[in-house]
Amino acid sequence: MQCEEIPQRHADYLAGTLSDTERAAFQRHVAGCAACQRETESLGGIWTTLEDIPAPEPDSRAMRARFDAALEREQASARPAGRSFHWNYAMAAGVAAAALIGGIFIGRGGSQDVTALRGEVRDLKHMVALSLMQQQSASERLKGVSWSNSLEGPGDEIVTALLDTLKHDDNVNVRLASIDALRRFAERTDVRRAAIDVLQTQRSPLVQMALIDFVVETQDRDAAGALRRISGDSESDQTVRARAAWGLEHLGVQS
Amino acid sequence: MQAVREGDFAQLGVLFDRHHREIFDFLVRTTGQRAVAEDLVQDVFERILKYRSTYRGDAGFRPWMYRIACNARADHYRRKVPTTAWADEFEPADESAGPERTLEEASDAQRLQRALNTLREEKRELLMLARFGEMKYEAIAEVFGVDTGTIKVRVHRALKELRDAFLKLDSRPPCNVKKFPSGTPTI
């Protein structure tokens, strides 16, 4: 074993996950190399001393009681599993029916009724978009995000759902679609702040790149700190770092 | 977890009983605050319920759960204290070990705590998972969404960074840190 190999093996050595052969080779090298021996001993000492940092025990009984209360609330308000799929189609049917009735009323010239029906159709469309964004299937969630683009006068609920998708959806394509959908809300401070926050925690290079483009489009100079950190982070993806540097340039701030 | 995903919420109680201690331990070690860790455990299990449909059976439950815990912790500090994601709230070391030894260990542990506090959140989370998470590096790699080789290198780098931060706080030579035992721990 060579000195260059030691760092790669260290984590396994400390965790005790080297094979007997690898462990013997590691120890043989360390025994004959003063520099690696010092490194191994000091890092091993830190690894062991971590255990001396005390951590309190949880109050399991109180925590379980809180959990039970929260679960009870959730059960009371949740729909039974499997209903949501049918519910979606019921919503879609509702939208279609409302549109049809709306059409009849338009034909008859009942303007007040038409206005009311338009309002109902709009509400139903909102509910369908929100419902789709909560589905198990990524393609359904994608549809929900896309549908939100066609909504007239989307409210806070839609923006919150899109931000929630951007932050927590485990599918990269859905997260990317949510960034596109959020562009129409770019004038909102909370949306711009959230984009910067997510940019700093996001691990997908594709989503990071899309968010960098977003903050550059919105000319949000508050993103400069995040962009600087990414461009200077040796552990970040090379392309993302370059894009962050590009972003700083386009925001007109120093990198 | 499959049962919870399919709507059997009562099974979440089983998951809570099985995993709340380890999640609490992880969160209290990465926040330094008991009350915050307790709140976040609650948040983690509420998120498990809320995002149950995003759970994929092919990946392990624990990496998914820890990813949720990392997100919950990050969200908490973004909302509450954007600059300091740590608070010292630890108790002194076990006094049964004798006064001198106790003082030395408490002192090293306190310095190490402060050194940990200087690390970036992701590095602190990584070290706590590697040291106390009882997960193989393959599973830890899933939590962070990178490959296993990258995680091992990151653990090494984070540990070096922690050692250097510790030594900056400590005028004594590194040999005063507890000796690494010949029988290595397992994760």
Side-chain angles (χ1 to χ4, degrees):
Chain A
M1 192 173 284
Q2 304 296 311
C3 291
E4 303 80 59
E5 295 174 69
I6 293 296
Q8 293 169 18
R9 307 284 177 149
H10 233 129
D12 275 321
Y13 178 71
L14 293 170
T17 47
L18 286 177
S19 70
D20 289 347
T21 317
E22 289 169 332
R23 185 179 165 77
F26 184 96
Q27 287 175 328
R28 236 187 345 266
H29 174 82
V30 168
C33 174
C36 288
Q37 190 171 31
R38 274 196 304 277
E39 187 81 342
T40 300
E41 277 182 5
S42 69
L43 294 185
I46 292 289
W47 181 263
T48 309
T49 307
L50 278 171
E51 203 156 59
D52 291 339
I53 296 178
E57 285 288 306
D59 183 349
S60 293
R61 188 183 291 184
M63 286 168 73
R64 177 68 207 235
R66 272 181 74 187
F67 165 77
D68 284 342
L71 188 58
E72 205 169 302
R73 280 197 304 276
E74 184 65 28
Q75 278 178 314
S77 62
R79 300 184 303 274
R83 188 173 151 193
S84 54
F85 178 79
H86 302 293
W87 188 76
N88 261 343
Y89 285 92
M91 296 302 288
V95 171
L100 181 66
I101 297 165
I104 292 166
F105 270 92
I106 288 167
R108 290 180 182 173
S111 63
Q112 279 186 336
D113 291 333
V114 169
T115 307
L117 276 166
R118 276 187 182 144
E120 282 181 26
V121 171
R122 193 182 59 234
D123 290 348
L124 278 166
K125 279 184 168 178
H126 275 70
M127 288 172 76
V128 172
L130 288 168
S131 170
L132 284 170
M133 276 191 257
Q134 290 169 7
Q135 292 302 301
Q136 182 175 339
S137 153
S139 61
E140 293 292 299
R141 299 200 300 278
L142 208 48
K143 271 186 212 164
V145 173
S146 306
W147 201 341
S148 74
N149 285 320
S150 64
L151 298 176
E152 289 172 24
D156 285 347
E157 247 187 331
I158 292 289
V159 176
T160 304
L162 287 170
L163 289 174
D164 206 42
T165 300
L166 172 62
K167 287 176 187 170
H168 304 296
D169 200 289
D170 68 344
N171 185 291
V172 170
N173 291 327
V174 181
R175 296 206 299 277
L176 286 170
S178 72
I179 297 169
D180 286 337
L182 283 165
R183 282 197 160 82
R184 64 195 291 212
F185 307 106
E187 79 286 353
R188 288 178 57 144
T189 311
D190 58 337
V191 170
R192 294 202 304 273
R193 289 291 75 75
I196 295 169
D197 287 348
V198 177
L199 175 59
Q200 297 180 83
T201 54
Q202 186 54 235
R203 290 176 184 129
S204 158
L206 282 174
V207 179
Q208 283 180 305
M209 303 268 280
L211 283 169
I212 291 169
D213 290 350
F214 181 91
V215 298
V216 170
E217 278 167 31
T218 55
Q219 282 294 300
D220 192 347
R221 287 181 169 221
D222 287 348
L227 293 176
R228 271 193 206 101
R229 271 191 292 282
I230 293 169
S231 67
D233 182 4
S234 59
E235 290 180 12
S236 286
D237 182 277
Q238 204 56 37
T239 319
V240 176
R241 291 179 64 186
R243 195 68 174 178
W246 169 89
L248 284 168
E249 203 180 305
H250 281 73
L251 285 180
V253 291
Q254 286 190 331
S255 53
Chain B
M1 185 58 213
Q2 291 288 7
V4 173
R5 197 174 77 169
E6 284 157 21
D8 185 359
F9 292 176
Q11 293 301 314
L12 191 62
V14 177
L15 289 175
F16 183 91
D17 288 341
R18 197 177 291 163
H19 297 290
H20 79 274
R21 280 181 167 273
E22 61 173 299
I23 286 292
F24 174 82
D25 187 66
F26 169 69
L27 290 167
V28 84
R29 285 181 187 281
T30 48
T31 64
Q33 292 169 288
R34 168 196 276 276
V36 170
E38 284 180 351
D39 285 348
L40 287 175
V41 169
Q42 200 72 23
D43 189 11
V44 167
F45 281 91
E46 283 174 17
R47 285 178 189 223
I48 287 174
L49 191 60
K50 186 174 178 188
Y51 301 112
R52 62 189 180 278
S53 62
T54 67
Y55 173 68
R56 303 285 180 262
D58 52 342
F61 171 67
R62 292 179 71 232
W64 184 72
M65 176 179 72
Y66 274 106
R67 199 162 65 234
I68 288 177
C70 291
N71 288 338
R73 195 182 79 86
D75 287 348
H76 170 81
Y77 282 107
R78 264 199 295 275
R79 285 195 305 266
K80 305 277 182 185
V81 195
T83 51
T84 311
W86 178 271
D88 284 334
E89 212 184 69
F90 288 100
E91 296 152 10
D94 178 14
E95 290 179 10
S96 62
E100 284 178 15
R101 182 79 183 137
T102 301
L103 198 64
E104 188 183 314
E105 283 186 1
S107 178
D108 278 343
Q110 281 165 1
R111 264 197 295 274
L112 199 53
Q113 241 174 249
R114 289 207 296 277
L116 264 172
N117 191 25
T118 66
L119 298 191
R120 279 178 56 179
E121 288 176 29
E122 193 170 300
K123 290 180 180 174
R124 197 156 66 223
E125 286 172 348
L126 173 60
L127 280 176
M128 293 302 102
L129 278 180
R131 186 68 182 92
F132 303 106
E134 295 181 358
M135 281 196 287
K136 290 184 185 302
Y137 286 124
E138 286 78 4
I140 297 173
E142 274 185 46
V143 177
F144 291 93
V146 295
D147 62 71
T148 309
T150 303
I151 275 296
K152 289 179 183 177
V153 171
R154 284 188 189 176
V155 167
H156 179 255
R157 283 185 192 157
L159 202 56
K160 274 180 75 167
E161 200 175 308
L162 177 62
R163 189 259 325 263
D164 295 344
F166 177 84
L167 293 177
K168 272 186 195 167
L169 297 170
D170 185 7
S171 54
R172 295 176 303 164
C175 58
N176 272 1
V177 180
K178 189 179 266 191
K179 184 90 175 157
F180 185 52
S182 53
T184 51
T186 54
I187 58 171

mmCIF file of all heavy atoms in Angstrom, chain A residues 122-152:
data_model
loop_
_atom_site.group_PDB
_atom_site.id
_atom_site.type_symbol
_atom_site.label_atom_id
_atom_site.label_comp_id
_atom_site.label_asym_id
_atom_site.label_seq_id
_atom_site.Cartn_x
_atom_site.Cartn_y
_atom_site.Cartn_z
ATOM 1 N N ARG A 122 -62.642 27.956 -11.742
ATOM 2 C CA ARG A 122 -61.285 28.351 -11.366
ATOM 3 C C ARG A 122 -60.871 27.644 -10.077
ATOM 4 O O ARG A 122 -59.776 27.107 -9.975
ATOM 5 C CB ARG A 122 -61.227 29.878 -11.188
ATOM 6 C CG ARG A 122 -59.792 30.409 -11.121
ATOM 7 C CD ARG A 122 -59.744 31.896 -10.905
ATOM 8 N NE ARG A 122 -60.412 32.284 -9.673
ATOM 9 C CZ ARG A 122 -61.374 33.190 -9.584
ATOM 10 N NH1 ARG A 122 -61.792 33.811 -10.657
ATOM 11 N NH2 ARG A 122 -61.921 33.474 -8.422
ATOM 12 N N ASP A 123 -61.786 27.623 -9.093
ATOM 13 C CA ASP A 123 -61.478 26.950 -7.824
ATOM 14 C C ASP A 123 -61.212 25.464 -8.035
ATOM 15 O O ASP A 123 -60.294 24.897 -7.444
ATOM 16 C CB ASP A 123 -62.642 27.118 -6.832
ATOM 17 C CG ASP A 123 -62.741 28.559 -6.359
ATOM 18 O OD1 ASP A 123 -61.791 29.330 -6.618
ATOM 19 O OD2 ASP A 123 -63.774 28.905 -5.750
ATOM 20 N N LEU A 124 -62.033 24.861 -8.882
ATOM 21 C CA LEU A 124 -61.855 23.427 -9.146
ATOM 22 C C LEU A 124 -60.511 23.150 -9.813
ATOM 23 O O LEU A 124 -59.823 22.198 -9.481
ATOM 24 C CB LEU A 124 -62.996 22.906 -10.030
ATOM 25 C CG LEU A 124 -64.287 22.579 -9.277
ATOM 26 C CD1 LEU A 124 -65.433 22.408 -10.256
ATOM 27 C CD2 LEU A 124 -64.113 21.311 -8.458
ATOM 28 N N LYS A 125 -60.133 24.017 -10.745
ATOM 29 C CA LYS A 125 -58.839 23.846 -11.416
ATOM 30 C C LYS A 125 -57.695 23.936 -10.405
ATOM 31 O O LYS A 125 -56.732 23.184 -10.470
ATOM 32 C CB LYS A 125 -58.651 24.930 -12.494
ATOM 33 C CG LYS A 125 -59.356 24.634 -13.793
ATOM 34 C CD LYS A 125 -58.996 25.726 -14.784
ATOM 35 C CE LYS A 125 -59.416 25.360 -16.191
ATOM 36 N NZ LYS A 125 -59.093 26.447 -17.128
ATOM 37 N N HIS A 126 -57.837 24.883 -9.485
ATOM 38 C CA HIS A 126 -56.823 25.015 -8.424
ATOM 39 C C HIS A 126 -56.719 23.715 -7.643
ATOM 40 O O HIS A 126 -55.635 23.223 -7.359
ATOM 41 C CB HIS A 126 -57.210 26.146 -7.462
ATOM 42 C CG HIS A 126 -56.773 27.489 -7.922
ATOM 43 N ND1 HIS A 126 -57.341 28.124 -8.992
ATOM 44 C CD2 HIS A 126 -55.821 28.324 -7.459
ATOM 45 C CE1 HIS A 126 -56.756 29.297 -9.168
ATOM 46 N NE2 HIS A 126 -55.826 29.447 -8.248
ATOM 47 N N MET A 127 -57.889 23.176 -7.269
ATOM 48 C CA MET A 127 -57.895 21.970 -6.441
ATOM 49 C C MET A 127 -57.303 20.778 -7.195
ATOM 50 O O MET A 127 -56.582 19.964 -6.623
ATOM 51 C CB MET A 127 -59.324 21.648 -5.984
ATOM 52 C CG MET A 127 -59.799 22.633 -4.925
ATOM 53 S SD MET A 127 -61.530 22.423 -4.545
ATOM 54 C CE MET A 127 -61.480 20.956 -3.537
ATOM 55 N N VAL A 128 -57.583 20.699 -8.486
ATOM 56 C CA VAL A 128 -57.025 19.595 -9.278
ATOM 57 C C VAL A 128 -55.498 19.723 -9.337
ATOM 58 O O VAL A 128 -54.770 18.742 -9.143
ATOM 59 C CB VAL A 128 -57.627 19.583 -10.703
ATOM 60 C CG1 VAL A 128 -56.903 18.570 -11.585
ATOM 61 C CG2 VAL A 128 -59.105 19.239 -10.634
ATOM 62 N N ALA A 129 -55.020 20.947 -9.570
ATOM 63 C CA ALA A 129 -53.562 21.153 -9.638
ATOM 64 C C ALA A 129 -52.913 20.758 -8.314
ATOM 65 O O ALA A 129 -51.901 20.041 -8.284
ATOM 66 C CB ALA A 129 -53.255 22.616 -9.966
ATOM 67 N N LEU A 130 -53.516 21.213 -7.207
ATOM 68 C CA LEU A 130 -52.955 20.903 -5.881
ATOM 69 C C LEU A 130 -52.981 19.405 -5.626
ATOM 70 O O LEU A 130 -52.023 18.837 -5.083
ATOM 71 C CB LEU A 130 -53.747 21.634 -4.785
ATOM 72 C CG LEU A 130 -53.538 23.136 -4.722
ATOM 73 C CD1 LEU A 130 -54.573 23.787 -3.802
ATOM 74 C CD2 LEU A 130 -52.130 23.467 -4.243
ATOM 75 N N SER A 131 -54.086 18.773 -6.008
ATOM 76 C CA SER A 131 -54.216 17.343 -5.780
ATOM 77 C C SER A 131 -53.180 16.560 -6.584
ATOM 78 O O SER A 131 -52.529 15.645 -6.071
ATOM 79 C CB SER A 131 -55.624 16.892 -6.158
ATOM 80 O OG SER A 131 -55.690 15.501 -6.171
ATOM 81 N N LEU A 132 -53.012 16.941 -7.850
ATOM 82 C CA LEU A 132 -52.041 16.229 -8.697
ATOM 83 C C LEU A 132 -50.626 16.358 -8.134
ATOM 84 O O LEU A 132 -49.833 15.423 -8.192
ATOM 85 C CB LEU A 132 -52.091 16.778 -10.129
ATOM 86 C CG LEU A 132 -53.291 16.333 -10.971
ATOM 87 C CD1 LEU A 132 -53.355 17.123 -12.275
ATOM 88 C CD2 LEU A 132 -53.219 14.844 -11.292
ATOM 89 N N MET A 133 -50.313 17.519 -7.565
ATOM 90 C CA MET A 133 -48.955 17.731 -7.034
ATOM 91 C C MET A 133 -48.659 16.859 -5.822
ATOM 92 O O MET A 133 -47.526 16.747 -5.399
ATOM 93 C CB MET A 133 -48.755 19.210 -6.685
ATOM 94 C CG MET A 133 -48.359 20.047 -7.880
ATOM 95 S SD MET A 133 -47.818 21.684 -7.377
ATOM 96 C CE MET A 133 -49.233 22.665 -7.768
ATOM 97 N N GLN A 134 -49.711 16.246 -5.257
ATOM 98 C CA GLN A 134 -49.501 15.401 -4.076
ATOM 99 C C GLN A 134 -49.534 13.918 -4.417
ATOM 100 O O GLN A 134 -49.511 13.080 -3.529
ATOM 101 C CB GLN A 134 -50.579 15.695 -3.036
ATOM 102 C CG GLN A 134 -50.412 17.066 -2.400
ATOM 103 C CD GLN A 134 -51.615 17.454 -1.573
ATOM 104 O OE1 GLN A 134 -52.521 16.658 -1.367
ATOM 105 N NE2 GLN A 134 -51.618 18.689 -1.116
ATOM 106 N N GLN A 135 -49.609 13.605 -5.689
ATOM 107 C CA GLN A 135 -49.739 12.196 -6.070
ATOM 108 C C GLN A 135 -48.440 11.417 -5.917
ATOM 109 O O GLN A 135 -47.347 11.974 -5.913
ATOM 110 C CB GLN A 135 -50.229 12.107 -7.516
ATOM 111 C CG GLN A 135 -51.642 12.600 -7.699
ATOM 112 C CD GLN A 135 -52.633 11.833 -6.835
ATOM 113 O OE1 GLN A 135 -52.758 10.631 -6.939
ATOM 114 N NE2 GLN A 135 -53.315 12.547 -5.947
ATOM 115 N N GLN A 136 -48.580 10.107 -5.824
ATOM 116 C CA GLN A 136 -47.419 9.222 -5.684
ATOM 117 C C GLN A 136 -46.601 9.180 -6.978
ATOM 118 O O GLN A 136 -45.380 9.126 -6.949
ATOM 119 C CB GLN A 136 -47.918 7.827 -5.337
ATOM 120 C CG GLN A 136 -46.795 6.827 -5.129
ATOM 121 C CD GLN A 136 -47.339 5.499 -4.669
ATOM 122 O OE1 GLN A 136 -48.446 5.427 -4.158
ATOM 123 N NE2 GLN A 136 -46.581 4.457 -4.845
ATOM 124 N N SER A 137 -47.324 9.175 -8.101
ATOM 125 C CA SER A 137 -46.643 9.067 -9.385
ATOM 126 C C SER A 137 -45.990 10.398 -9.764
ATOM 127 O O SER A 137 -46.632 11.452 -9.736
ATOM 128 C CB SER A 137 -47.670 8.648 -10.436
ATOM 129 O OG SER A 137 -47.263 9.100 -11.692
ATOM 130 N N ALA A 138 -44.695 10.332 -10.152
ATOM 131 C CA ALA A 138 -43.971 11.551 -10.524
ATOM 132 C C ALA A 138 -44.610 12.198 -11.757
ATOM 133 O O ALA A 138 -44.661 13.425 -11.864
ATOM 134 C CB ALA A 138 -42.510 11.226 -10.798
ATOM 135 N N SER A 139 -45.125 11.372 -12.686
ATOM 136 C CA SER A 139 -45.708 11.967 -13.896
ATOM 137 C C SER A 139 -46.991 12.728 -13.539
ATOM 138 O O SER A 139 -47.293 13.763 -14.134
ATOM 139 C CB SER A 139 -45.982 10.892 -14.949
ATOM 140 O OG SER A 139 -46.897 9.961 -14.450
ATOM 141 N N GLU A 140 -47.739 12.231 -12.532
ATOM 142 C CA GLU A 140 -48.936 12.958 -12.084
ATOM 143 C C GLU A 140 -48.540 14.287 -11.434
ATOM 144 O O GLU A 140 -49.168 15.323 -11.670
ATOM 145 C CB GLU A 140 -49.720 12.112 -11.062
ATOM 146 C CG GLU A 140 -50.348 10.859 -11.630
ATOM 147 C CD GLU A 140 -51.488 11.167 -12.605
ATOM 148 O OE1 GLU A 140 -52.466 11.778 -12.193
ATOM 149 O OE2 GLU A 140 -51.362 10.794 -13.789
ATOM 150 N N ARG A 141 -47.476 14.230 -10.620
ATOM 151 C CA ARG A 141 -47.018 15.472 -9.963
ATOM 152 C C ARG A 141 -46.546 16.479 -11.015
ATOM 153 O O ARG A 141 -46.771 17.680 -10.899
ATOM 154 C CB ARG A 141 -45.906 15.165 -8.958
ATOM 155 C CG ARG A 141 -46.334 14.237 -7.830
ATOM 156 C CD ARG A 141 -45.423 14.330 -6.616
ATOM 157 N NE ARG A 141 -44.046 13.984 -6.892
ATOM 158 C CZ ARG A 141 -43.566 12.746 -6.942
ATOM 159 N NH1 ARG A 141 -44.370 11.722 -6.731
ATOM 160 N NH2 ARG A 141 -42.297 12.518 -7.188
ATOM 161 N N LEU A 142 -45.889 15.933 -12.044
ATOM 162 C CA LEU A 142 -45.432 16.787 -13.136
ATOM 163 C C LEU A 142 -46.627 17.460 -13.818
ATOM 164 O O LEU A 142 -46.585 18.649 -14.132
ATOM 165 C CB LEU A 142 -44.671 15.897 -14.143
ATOM 166 C CG LEU A 142 -43.577 16.524 -15.000
ATOM 167 C CD1 LEU A 142 -42.617 17.354 -14.185
ATOM 168 C CD2 LEU A 142 -42.823 15.428 -15.748
ATOM 169 N N LYS A 143 -47.698 16.678 -14.001
ATOM 170 C CA LYS A 143 -48.913 17.233 -14.611
ATOM 171 C C LYS A 143 -49.463 18.363 -13.735
ATOM 172 O O LYS A 143 -49.903 19.393 -14.233
ATOM 173 C CB LYS A 143 -49.984 16.143 -14.726
ATOM 174 C CG LYS A 143 -49.927 15.344 -16.002
ATOM 175 C CD LYS A 143 -51.141 14.406 -16.035
ATOM 176 C CE LYS A 143 -50.808 13.115 -16.761
ATOM 177 N NZ LYS A 143 -51.769 12.052 -16.498
ATOM 178 N N GLY A 144 -49.457 18.116 -12.419
ATOM 179 C CA GLY A 144 -49.970 19.119 -11.481
ATOM 180 C C GLY A 144 -49.205 20.420 -11.589
ATOM 181 O O GLY A 144 -49.783 21.512 -11.635
ATOM 182 N N VAL A 145 -47.858 20.302 -11.657
ATOM 183 C CA VAL A 145 -47.016 21.500 -11.768
ATOM 184 C C VAL A 145 -47.314 22.210 -13.087
ATOM 185 O O VAL A 145 -47.471 23.435 -13.131
ATOM 186 C CB VAL A 145 -45.512 21.115 -11.661
ATOM 187 C CG1 VAL A 145 -44.637 22.324 -11.947
ATOM 188 C CG2 VAL A 145 -45.208 20.565 -10.273
ATOM 189 N N SER A 146 -47.420 21.414 -14.164
ATOM 190 C CA SER A 146 -47.696 22.020 -15.485
ATOM 191 C C SER A 146 -49.063 22.694 -15.481
ATOM 192 O O SER A 146 -49.238 23.783 -16.026
ATOM 193 C CB SER A 146 -47.674 20.960 -16.579
ATOM 194 O OG SER A 146 -46.469 20.266 -16.537
ATOM 195 N N TRP A 147 -50.034 22.048 -14.866
ATOM 196 C CA TRP A 147 -51.383 22.601 -14.821
ATOM 197 C C TRP A 147 -51.398 23.943 -14.085
ATOM 198 O O TRP A 147 -52.137 24.852 -14.434
ATOM 199 C CB TRP A 147 -52.350 21.596 -14.174
ATOM 200 C CG TRP A 147 -53.780 21.861 -14.549
ATOM 201 C CD1 TRP A 147 -54.300 23.011 -15.050
ATOM 202 C CD2 TRP A 147 -54.869 20.945 -14.451
ATOM 203 N NE1 TRP A 147 -55.647 22.880 -15.273
ATOM 204 C CE2 TRP A 147 -56.023 21.625 -14.910
ATOM 205 C CE3 TRP A 147 -54.992 19.629 -14.011
ATOM 206 C CZ2 TRP A 147 -57.278 21.027 -14.934
ATOM 207 C CZ3 TRP A 147 -56.246 19.045 -14.036
ATOM 208 C CH2 TRP A 147 -57.372 19.727 -14.499
ATOM 209 N N SER A 148 -50.545 24.052 -13.094
ATOM 210 C CA SER A 148 -50.525 25.313 -12.332
ATOM 211 C C SER A 148 -50.171 26.488 -13.247
ATOM 212 O O SER A 148 -50.546 27.629 -12.991
ATOM 213 C CB SER A 148 -49.543 25.217 -11.168
ATOM 214 O OG SER A 148 -48.211 25.280 -11.640
ATOM 215 N N ASN A 149 -49.421 26.197 -14.343
ATOM 216 C CA ASN A 149 -49.055 27.271 -15.280
ATOM 217 C C ASN A 149 -50.270 27.880 -15.967
ATOM 218 O O ASN A 149 -50.246 29.037 -16.380
ATOM 219 C CB ASN A 149 -48.131 26.707 -16.378
ATOM 220 C CG ASN A 149 -46.730 26.482 -15.851
ATOM 221 O OD1 ASN A 149 -46.214 27.292 -15.099
ATOM 222 N ND2 ASN A 149 -46.114 25.374 -16.239
ATOM 223 N N SER A 150 -51.323 27.057 -16.109
ATOM 224 C CA SER A 150 -52.476 27.536 -16.875
ATOM 225 C C SER A 150 -53.532 28.207 -15.983
ATOM 226 O O SER A 150 -54.559 28.659 -16.481
ATOM 227 C CB SER A 150 -53.112 26.358 -17.609
ATOM 228 O OG SER A 150 -53.624 25.443 -16.660
ATOM 229 N N LEU A 151 -53.279 28.250 -14.676
ATOM 230 C CA LEU A 151 -54.284 28.808 -13.767
ATOM 231 C C LEU A 151 -54.315 30.330 -13.846
ATOM 232 O O LEU A 151 -53.272 30.977 -13.919
ATOM 233 C CB LEU A 151 -53.990 28.383 -12.326
ATOM 234 C CG LEU A 151 -54.041 26.880 -12.048
ATOM 235 C CD1 LEU A 151 -53.622 26.603 -10.602
ATOM 236 C CD2 LEU A 151 -55.428 26.327 -12.302
ATOM 237 N N GLU A 152 -55.537 30.854 -13.811
ATOM 238 C CA GLU A 152 -55.679 32.313 -13.765
ATOM 239 C C GLU A 152 -55.728 32.747 -12.311
ATOM 240 O O GLU A 152 -56.462 32.160 -11.515
ATOM 241 C CB GLU A 152 -56.977 32.738 -14.454
ATOM 242 C CG GLU A 152 -56.942 32.567 -15.953
ATOM 243 C CD GLU A 152 -58.321 32.818 -16.554
ATOM 244 O OE1 GLU A 152 -59.125 33.531 -15.927
ATOM 245 O OE2 GLU A 152 -58.582 32.280 -17.637
#
